[in-house]
Amino acid sequence: MKTYKRIVVLAEIFIFIGCGICNVWAQDDDWGRGGDGERDGDHRVLHIQRTVTTSQIDFPQSLFMYHLLDGANSNGEARALKGTISLKNHSSEFSEVLWVLAYWKGECPVDDQSLAGANVIWTEIQKNPTQSEDTLSVDLHFPNPLPMTGCVGFIFAGGPLVKGAGAVTMSADLNLEYKRSETLTNTVIDLSGEYCFGQNWGCQNATTNENDGFAVPIAMPAGHLMELYGSISDSTFDGTQNFGPLPTGEVWGNTNNFYLLPGGCGKFGINLNSQGFPNPVSLAKLNSWLPNNAIHLESVPMDYPITQSGTSRASLTRQIETFLPYPVKVNAGDCVVVIYGRKGNGATDNETQIHAVLAP
């Protein structure tokens, strides 16, 4: 059995293949109209349409650069992201792809392979454990606009995970709606993570104990929490010896809960291994660590019934767009904790690609 560790955008060096780094002068298409019926030229659409097919393992990646507005020294704000993304397996091995949208300040880089200078504003994860094409809709609206400049990068990374697997085709057809802005006011905070259940390796950490979960602490800057957005993907593997077993029984699934802890991360902040990822702990104990003043921001349970065939081989992906009913004040040092749990047995990959919008 081969061990894999999926590359995390903000922590690993990207290896670009295919087009590598492609600089593209974007077509700025007007999309809005003012109240008098005239074209509102301040509102624009960036149409992103890209397809890559690969048989290479180790998460090959592609970056496409777009020059908008007056370049990286100009400010803008993202107002919506709409369209479709798809992941097609030409054979039956497990595959996955991470989609990323980012921007740069100061100057558009010629080659920022590590994304060290990038500011990521959207990610989505997609997995496919069968020989099929999986297409997902993206329909996100940002009433609290996301910051951006005139230097935007669209990145996707993925494909097959084991040597000898068939080709994988990744396609995106997206429209980014944006406009000029005087200043960048809102902040985007990354709340993502990936944890494996039912096998003792892979992901950022893993456990074989069905009662265990993982709790990821994220220290927050000051501001007002307005929105959570992105996607959650919970998937089985492909049933081969390369991964853990398929789930059996009546149902499998996972739980995903988001909390804000005023005053700090408490016990969650010290339950970390040498790589900075949380150690597995029973879900009962993790819940007991939550203070009385914890604010429950969101709960996303994911369940998949198992048919009479006796095993399940499937991926569950859900787009998340949670607008908080009122701005939640966050002081510097407060903590968001994301708790991952599981239902059923077998090996599953539980991943969140969620971001939070923090207003001043």
Side-chain angles (χ1 to χ4, degrees):
M1 181 180 295
K2 293 187 178 180
T3 301
Y4 84 96
K5 179 182 177 184
R6 204 180 58 70
I7 298 175
V8 180
V9 174
L10 300 182
E12 301 289 345
I13 301 287
F14 276 106
I15 301 172
F16 293 91
I17 67 163
C19 94
I21 306 224
C22 299
N23 289 304
V24 182
W25 286 100
Q27 178 66 44
D28 273 349
D29 297 321
D30 292 339
W31 64 275
R33 287 184 180 274
D36 58 358
E38 294 298 319
R39 191 66 84 168
D40 181 359
D42 194 37
H43 290 74
R44 304 286 180 174
V45 172
L46 170 62
H47 186 201
I48 301 171
Q49 191 170 33
R50 296 292 167 188
T51 296
V52 168
T53 298
T54 182
S55 298
Q56 182 179 333
I57 63 172
D58 298 328
F59 253 69
Q61 323 220 1
S62 298
L63 165 63
F64 303 91
M65 296 292 295
Y66 297 90
H67 298 262
L68 312 173
L69 303 173
D70 298 318
N73 288 313
S74 59
N75 293 327
E77 54 184 47
R79 305 306 300 258
L81 184 66
K82 304 175 183 179
T84 58
I85 52 178
S86 68
L87 176 61
K88 181 178 181 180
N89 284 352
H90 298 272
S91 64
S92 58
E93 288 84 7
F94 180 86
S95 70
E96 61 179 330
V97 58
L98 181 67
W99 309 93
V100 185
L101 191 66
Y103 70 91
W104 285 259
K105 293 181 181 179
E107 185 175 345
C108 289
V110 175
D111 183 358
D112 185 10
Q113 292 193 19
S114 68
L115 295 187
N119 301 272
V120 174
I121 57 174
W122 172 78
T123 57
E124 185 145 342
I125 186 67
Q126 194 173 6
K127 300 182 173 79
N128 192 347
T130 64
Q131 185 175 359
S132 62
E133 182 170 7
D134 182 32
T135 299
L136 300 177
S137 294
V138 177
D139 188 15
L140 295 170
H141 306 263
F142 306 118
N144 306 290
L146 309 185
M148 60 175 281
T149 65
C151 182
V152 171
F154 180 65
I155 307 102
F156 51 96
L161 295 185
V162 295
K163 189 175 181 180
V168 171
T169 298
M170 300 160 282
S171 299
D173 189 355
L174 297 168
N175 285 318
L176 173 65
E177 298 177 4
Y178 67 98
K179 62 178 293 185
R180 295 180 184 274
S181 177
E182 293 298 323
T183 58
L184 303 180
T185 56
N186 295 339
T187 302
V188 174
I189 307 296
D190 181 18
L191 307 180
S192 63
E194 181 187 25
Y195 294 87
C196 285
F197 294 88
Q199 61 184 38
N200 60 3
W201 53 268
C203 301
Q204 292 173 321
N205 208 343
T207 182
T208 57
N209 188 327
E210 295 181 5
N211 296 315
D212 279 352
F214 296 93
V216 181
I218 302 104
M220 300 289 288
H224 291 83
L225 192 57
M226 309 294 289
E227 178 184 350
L228 304 178
Y229 68 93
S231 72
I232 295 177
S233 178
D234 299 334
S235 178
T236 69
F237 295 100
D238 56 24
T240 67
Q241 63 181 358
N242 296 305
F243 305 99
L246 295 175
T248 61
E250 296 183 354
V251 66
W252 68 269
N254 290 285
T255 58
N256 309 271
N257 285 280
F258 299 78
Y259 297 89
L260 177 67
L261 278 58
C265 296
K267 292 182 179 179
F268 299 103
I270 60 177
N271 180 46
L272 305 175
N273 63 20
S274 60
Q275 294 181 301
F277 300 124
N279 295 305
V281 174
S282 73
L283 274 175
K285 181 174 287 188
L286 291 177
N287 288 325
S288 75
W289 290 352
L290 292 168
N292 292 332
N293 62 347
I295 300 172
H296 195 182
L297 301 172
E298 180 61 286
S299 178
V300 187
M302 306 270 272
D303 294 330
Y304 193 89
I306 299 176
T307 64
Q308 294 180 352
S309 64
T311 60
S312 176
R313 187 177 171 191
S315 177
L316 297 172
T317 301
R318 183 181 300 177
Q319 178 180 282
I320 304 300
E321 190 170 32
T322 299
F323 302 108
L324 300 181
Y326 57 88
V328 177
K329 184 178 180 180
V330 180
N331 295 315
D334 288 352
C335 186
V336 168
V337 171
V338 186
I339 298 182
Y340 299 73
R342 69 94 44 89
K343 303 176 184 179
N345 59 25
T348 57
D349 181 338
N350 184 357
E351 181 167 0
T352 70
Q353 289 295 333
I354 301 295
H355 289 77
V357 179
L358 203 65

